[in-house]
Amino acid sequence: MAKSVISKHSTNSELNPRTEEYDFNGPLGALAVTILVPVIVYSLYFGCAEETGGCPPKVQLTFTRVQESLTWSQWLRLWDTEATMIYLVWYGFCVLCWIILPGEWVKGTVLRDGNVKEYKINGLSTFMLAIALSVGSIVKFGPECFTFFYHKWVGLLTAALLMSIVQAIYVYAASFVPGKLLALGGNSGNIIYDFFIGRELNPSIGSFDVMSFNELRPGMILWALMDISMICEQAVRRGGFSKVTDSIWLTAGFQIFYIADALYNEPALFTTIDIITEGFGFMLAVGDLVWVPFVYSTPTRYLVFAPVRLGTYTAALIFGMNFLGYWIFRSANGEKNDFRNGKNPKNLKFLATVTGSKLLTSGWWGVSRHPNYLGDLLMAWAWSLPTGFATPITYFYPLFFTPFLMHRQIRDETKCQKKYGDDWEKYKQLVPYKIIPYVY
Ligand code: NDP
């Protein structure tokens, strides 16, 4: 589907220059993250699971104890053939939906070789079909039929991890086929670094774009199904859906709403930095397929074996917090998207800059310099608060996400400072707060 207009005069090295600057502190940092991500995700499970005695585990994790317990059979338990089959069927279902469900083809932005890729928009219908099939079987066969995500958690995690490794190896190897457009940041020549960052910009198999497919479907929709499975497991234990606690309904409801919203806004993906400039390597593969479903559903998994009753007022407060966050997140991103697309329906004030590009100074972008991050953070905390305060482990996501967005904000400001120079200083005077008004 890509319309090839690569200039006949461009040599490969002109089109794909060597990456000179490393991110993540170079190959060593990339290697550390490659190892750390799976370790963190498994630890989140074993550090907060019924079978290890709770959250944190009751087993005393002394060095000798770890040595004793990590027998071969323990290690082999990470592998579960049935879970692997379920995962492969799931992944195959997503691919099949992409092929057969109708969807509009939309154009992405013009890439630096002049190509314009086209993407099929049917993520939302894939999601709706998956939810309809799941809910339909729960209604017909009862919640027992949909608890396998809870019981096969580790096996599914291993399967998703292996899938991300296989994909990362495949796209890295395929990037050496002549004529490929490489990511500016992933062509260092160092195998560890390029494998991690992603060497090819838009790896595809025919018209099937690997990156955009992975970003929104097999991981994101699986996350929603896992949340539904956690509700079913609680329903089985407590004797029906009417006995399911408000906390798990709330967390799962918030997250499923967020997923549906992301899929509803699928075309917005094609103007993101990920799609336009980043390669697809192990970092995105493991992020999409492992991190999103298995880390983000930790609170609902915890609530299965440690149910919490919130009560109307607490639930209403958390509900308000989530939707305040959502409102800020959507309207701030909407104001900027409209403005960057030449529209200003709210007649917001702006600062003209020497670059010709303008900066909003009223509306959400007059409240702080990254109001969209504020919205995202409020939602992240609202997803964990229903788990109560018995353990910090269910707060892993917001505890990781807060410094992550603070760091992203600094990186973005450095970029804007370089681009806008003195005008950025003027903007900072007009809008003094970075993310949270009057606080930060
Ligand atoms: P942003 O949407 O925050 O965009 C930053 C860019 O906006 C700047 O580089 C600048 O680009 C432009 N800009 C800055 N100030 C203004 C202004 N006053 N008026 C107009 N334009 C301005 O980028 P992100 O990709 O970081 O975030 C997008 C969304 O994704 C956010 O909601 C964020 O919270 C979310 N996100 C979620 C993650 C997750 O894991 N859940 C991870 C990362 C992000 P220029 O001027 O050059 O156009």
Side-chain angles (χ1 to χ4, degrees), residues 82-94:
E82 211 177 281
T84 309
M85 296 314 288
I86 294 173
Y87 188 80
L88 288 176
V89 168
W90 164 246
Y91 203 93
F93 168 83
C94 292

Side-chain angles (χ1 to χ4, degrees), residues 210-217 220 269 274-275 284 288:
V210 179
M211 189 190 317
S212 62
F213 176 81
N214 278 315
E215 287 233 343
L216 286 183
R217 290 142 205 255
M220 282 277 262
L269 184 72
D274 277 5
I275 297 288
L284 277 184
D288 294 342

Side-chain angles (χ1 to χ4, degrees), residues 258 273 296 329 333 336 339-340 357-360 365 370 372-373 376 397 401 404-405 408 412 415-416 419-420 424 427:
Y258 182 85
I273 296 169
Y296 293 6
F329 163 82
N333 282 325
K336 182 165 69 70
F339 194 64
R340 283 283 171 262
S357 183
K358 296 165 191 157
L359 292 166
L360 286 166
W365 296 84
H370 258 107
N372 46 356
Y373 290 2
D376 239 335
Y397 170 56
F401 199 46
F404 170 86
L405 282 186
R408 193 174 170 101
D412 190 51
K415 181 213 108 177
C416 291
K419 178 174 172 184
Y420 295 110
W424 189 253
Y427 175 60

Side-chain angles (χ1 to χ4, degrees), residues 205-390:
I205 302 166
S207 55
F208 178 82
D209 181 74
V210 179
M211 189 190 317
S212 62
F213 176 81
N214 278 315
E215 287 233 343
L216 286 183
R217 290 142 205 255
M220 282 277 262
I221 305 176
L222 181 64
W223 169 21
L225 299 186
M226 284 182 144
D227 279 351
I228 294 174
S229 180
M230 302 308 123
I231 294 176
C232 287
E233 178 65 23
Q234 221 203 53
V236 170
R237 290 173 185 219
R238 295 174 72 87
F241 284 109
S242 59
K243 307 255 174 51
V244 167
T245 52
D246 48 4
S247 52
I248 199 167
W249 281 122
L250 221 53
T251 299
F254 293 161
Q255 296 189 339
I256 293 171
F257 177 81
Y258 182 85
I259 296 161
D261 178 75
L263 289 159
Y264 177 75
N265 289 292
E266 189 176 359
L269 184 72
F270 309 118
T271 53
T272 62
I273 296 169
D274 277 5
I275 297 288
I276 299 169
T277 57
E278 307 257 300
F280 183 77
F282 182 69
M283 178 176 73
L284 277 184
V286 81
D288 294 342
L289 302 179
V290 175
W291 191 265
V292 169
F294 293 92
V295 171
Y296 293 6
S297 58
T298 300
T300 50
R301 185 172 59 76
Y302 167 81
L303 287 169
V304 168
F305 61 87
V308 172
R309 269 231 176 273
L310 295 171
T312 314
Y313 294 113
T314 314
L317 263 176
I318 301 175
F319 186 89
M321 181 175 173
N322 182 69
F323 284 99
L324 173 69
Y326 174 75
W327 176 56
I328 297 175
F329 163 82
R330 259 287 146 253
S331 37
N333 282 325
E335 281 177 3
K336 182 165 69 70
N337 284 348
D338 278 348
F339 194 64
R340 283 283 171 262
N341 288 320
K343 292 178 256 170
N344 187 1
K346 294 186 193 163
N347 223 359
L348 299 172
K349 289 189 203 148
F350 56 82
L351 177 80
T353 74
V354 284
T355 63
S357 183
K358 296 165 191 157
L359 292 166
L360 286 166
T361 55
S362 73
W364 282 111
W365 296 84
V367 172
S368 80
R369 300 201 291 272
H370 258 107
N372 46 356
Y373 290 2
L374 172 61
D376 239 335
L377 284 174
L378 282 171
M379 285 191 284
W381 284 94
W383 298 350
S384 291
L385 281 172
T387 61
F389 301 106

